[in-house]
Amino acid sequence: MAALSTPTRAARRTAPGRALPPDAVRRGALALVVLGALGVLALWWADTPRVAGAAGWLTGAGRITGLLAGYAAPVLLLLMARIPLLEREVGADRLARWHAYGGRYLVSLVTVHVLTVVWGYALTDGQGLWGQTVEIVFHFPDMLKATAATLLLLGTGAVSARAARRRLGYETWYYLHLATYLAVALGFAHQLTTGADLSDGPAKAGWYLLYFGTAAALARYRLLSPYLRDRRHRLEVAEVRAEGPGVVSVFLTGRRLEELRAEPGQFFRLQFLAPGLRWASHPYSLSAPPHPRFLRFTVKDLGGHSAALAALAPGTGVRAEGPYGAFTARRHRGGPVLLLGAGVGVTPLRALAETLPGQLTLVQRARRPEDVLFRRELAAVAAQRGVRVHELLGGRAEVGDLGAALHRLVPGLARHEVYLCGPEEFTADAVRALRAAGVRADRVHHESFAL
């Protein structure tokens, strides 16, 4: 494997031609989501001749928020269904952010829906809030399932809050998050049996299409595609190699790897079939251009799953979902490029440095010289392609203002297109520094997997 791990002409790959204008899929997806929401509001409008009194306004608010929540739930699942077009053109990190933002709105909509419906019905029937709650939960059709769905959604929202996420391991959070699927399934019958706006006709048919279409997409891309890919490519660990303190590269081999059509900058979700690892799938970026004989991923020991990869034995089977991500040459719009990375975030930049066309500058941020990754490989790429490679070493006090440091290393910084990858805090600081330096927002590309 030693000869395969260094930059080679055979490993290089030119970027596929772009069939769609930049951001066309992103804008189209957002437009579809907005149009769908407007269509849902139109259902309520068409079925509501007039609203009168406090009870009517509360009940109307409950119907609107219930419809929007019922619409949002499958849309959020579609965002994370690993649909290739969305993953390639929109990007996994942007989809994850949309999913996270939408999840907060969904929890809010469900909360308002429950409160306004109970309150509105209580005013209409002349009951207290507690009595009306008991009446709805135990005597309305499918409300026990809907109540369970509500509790599951609220619980998922609680464990997904930033403060809770910091205290949970990735695997724990991931499996708790799967409760969302059960919540959506439990809530579906309630929407049709008690939702006055979905009782009959095209609206009901459209609701079935939305939910069963979502289920089909999830089955296709989250279950069937990985299974077929696993059967076809038979990926396994070929070698695990130390790259630096707490950092290893995992080399995978398999059959027909070129048919994966992976691109530099993309990532796979890998599930290693070893004790303690087989039930967790994590995203890892390619750290070298895809090769017909191997794929390389470089991982930092962050505890748990990533730490265990250093002990993987050759021959360990691997299930892989992907390739995913829009952090590729497809985003390149011409002109000079800055590849800016910190820590293990330099891994996709290492692959792009070998393949991205044009004038390239790579800046790697690290605290200590021994933390710099791929020094020899990047020196070879620099010699072959004329890439300018810089190391920005030291703590914050030593480096000083990041924007000023980049100005010193990268002449004409504002004219550059930037590919940025690193820890969340570093990425946020770098985006602020780049924007202050005059780099346009649409020319700063970054992906993260914090969700």
Side-chain angles (χ1 to χ4, degrees), residues 269-273 277-282 305 317-320:
R269 295 183 183 274
L270 302 179
Q271 182 180 1
F272 295 92
L273 305 183
L277 298 176
R278 65 176 62 246
W279 300 113
S281 175
H282 286 249
H305 188 277
V318 183
R319 289 177 181 155

Side-chain angles (χ1 to χ4, degrees), residues 171 237 240 246 248 250 272 274-278 280 282 284 299-313 316:
E171 290 84 0
V237 175
V240 178
V248 298
V250 180
F272 295 92
L277 298 176
R278 65 176 62 246
H282 286 249
Y284 295 113
V299 183
K300 185 173 183 179
D301 178 358
L302 299 175
H305 188 277
S306 56
L309 300 191
L312 285 172
T316 301

Side-chain angles (χ1 to χ4, degrees), residues 47-354:
D47 200 41
T48 307
R50 60 189 296 270
V51 178
W57 282 106
L58 286 168
T59 305
R63 285 170 57 195
I64 291 173
T65 51
L67 282 168
L68 289 174
Y71 168 72
V75 169
L76 292 180
L77 295 184
L78 279 173
L79 292 177
M80 305 307 290
R82 314 280 190 253
I83 298 172
L85 179 64
L86 294 180
E87 292 282 340
R88 184 178 67 249
E89 298 291 340
V90 178
D93 68 324
R94 182 173 281 151
L95 291 172
R97 289 197 299 272
W98 290 357
H99 178 82
Y101 294 153
R104 297 185 189 105
Y105 285 113
L106 175 60
V107 169
S108 299
L109 287 168
V110 169
T111 302
V112 174
H113 168 67
V114 171
L115 294 176
T116 53
V117 164
V118 171
W119 194 0
Y121 281 23
L123 290 177
T124 300
D125 297 341
Q127 290 196 63
L129 291 177
W130 176 248
Q132 189 64 58
T133 300
V134 172
E135 173 71 19
I136 290 174
V137 170
F138 291 101
H139 296 95
F140 280 44
D142 292 309
M143 276 307 303
L144 284 174
K145 289 188 286 187
T147 301
T150 300
L151 294 175
L152 285 172
L153 277 176
L154 295 178
T156 303
V159 301
S160 298
R162 189 177 295 271
R165 281 284 289 114
R166 292 195 186 102
R167 292 174 171 81
L168 292 175
Y170 178 87
E171 290 84 0
T172 303
W173 170 84
Y174 177 80
Y175 288 112
L176 288 173
H177 205 72
L178 292 180
T180 304
Y181 295 94
L182 179 58
V184 173
L186 288 172
F188 178 63
H190 153 67
Q191 296 167 37
L192 294 177
T193 55
T194 60
D197 304 287
L198 303 172
S199 58
D200 205 359
K204 186 175 183 178
W207 218 249
Y208 269 109
L209 180 62
L210 175 61
Y211 273 77
F212 281 90
T214 299
L218 289 168
R220 169 70 172 84
Y221 297 114
R222 295 296 297 268
L223 299 176
L224 182 60
S225 289
Y227 171 77
L228 294 176
R229 187 179 296 111
D230 179 49
R231 299 282 296 177
R232 183 165 184 80
H233 299 290
R234 300 291 185 181
L235 293 175
E236 63 179 38
V237 175
E239 181 186 352
V240 178
R241 181 183 303 167
E243 299 284 1
V247 179
V248 298
S249 283
V250 180
F251 293 83
L252 304 184
T253 60
R255 303 184 302 192
R256 306 183 183 93
L257 296 186
E258 68 280 357
E259 294 180 9
L260 289 169
R261 302 178 69 180
E263 301 174 40
Q266 290 189 308
F267 71 95
F268 287 75
R269 295 183 183 274
L270 302 179
Q271 182 180 1
F272 295 92
L273 305 183
L277 298 176
R278 65 176 62 246
W279 300 113
S281 175
H282 286 249
Y284 295 113
S285 294
L286 289 163
S287 60
H291 192 282
R293 293 168 53 196
F294 77 97
L295 300 173
R296 187 181 77 174
F297 303 87
T298 301
V299 183
K300 185 173 183 179
D301 178 358
L302 299 175
H305 188 277
S306 56
L309 300 191
L312 285 172
T316 301
V318 183
R319 289 177 181 155
E321 293 182 51
Y324 297 133
F327 194 68
T328 67
R330 294 172 181 269
R331 288 190 172 182
H332 183 37
R333 301 180 183 181
V337 175
L338 168 62
L339 306 174
L340 176 59
V344 77
V346 78
T347 54
L349 305 180
R350 154 67 187 88
L352 287 167
E354 192 172 341

